[in-house]
Amino acid sequence: AVSGSNIGHRLLSMMGWQGGGLGKDGAGISEPISAESEFGRQGMGFKESGRDVGKVFNMKIEKIIKEYIGTPGYHDLVFTTGFDNPQRAAMHKIARKYGLKSKSFGK
């Protein structure tokens, strides 16, 4: 259970929530969704000083690829063209690590 001092708890209380599940009939989730991993406040293109591609970037790409592998269906995973060459090289390396084929279109 979440304490009454939690901002989410206070906001829901101000909207009439009195505890229990969410939704019209109270049949929705009753516990908050928690984050599985936290990468800090850096964006996808964050570069650590002294390196071409940072550890945080690699962790984020690897997480995205793992989630892609776990989804059913046959669709392509497409990234924006805004990544530089070292970032694209890192993405290809991670894709190969998981047995995926990869291809770049861009710069």
Side-chain angles (χ1 to χ4, degrees), residues 34-95:
S34 61
E36 291 181 19
S37 59
E38 185 175 318
F39 295 112
R41 298 188 55 84
Q42 298 89 4
M44 286 290 292
F46 173 73
K47 292 183 184 180
E48 294 176 359
S49 60
R51 296 184 183 170
D52 288 336
V53 179
K55 181 173 72 170
V56 172
F57 177 82
N58 285 339
M59 287 172 51
K60 288 179 182 183
I61 295 298
E62 189 154 358
K63 181 178 185 286
I64 290 168
I65 288 175
K66 282 181 181 179
E67 288 174 0
Y68 168 74
I69 291 169
T71 58
Y74 298 97
H75 60 279
D76 292 337
L77 177 62
V78 179
F79 291 99
T80 181
T81 58
F83 295 104
D84 61 22
N85 288 334
Q87 290 171 328
R88 283 194 295 237
M91 293 185 328
H92 289 296
K93 183 178 178 182
I94 294 168

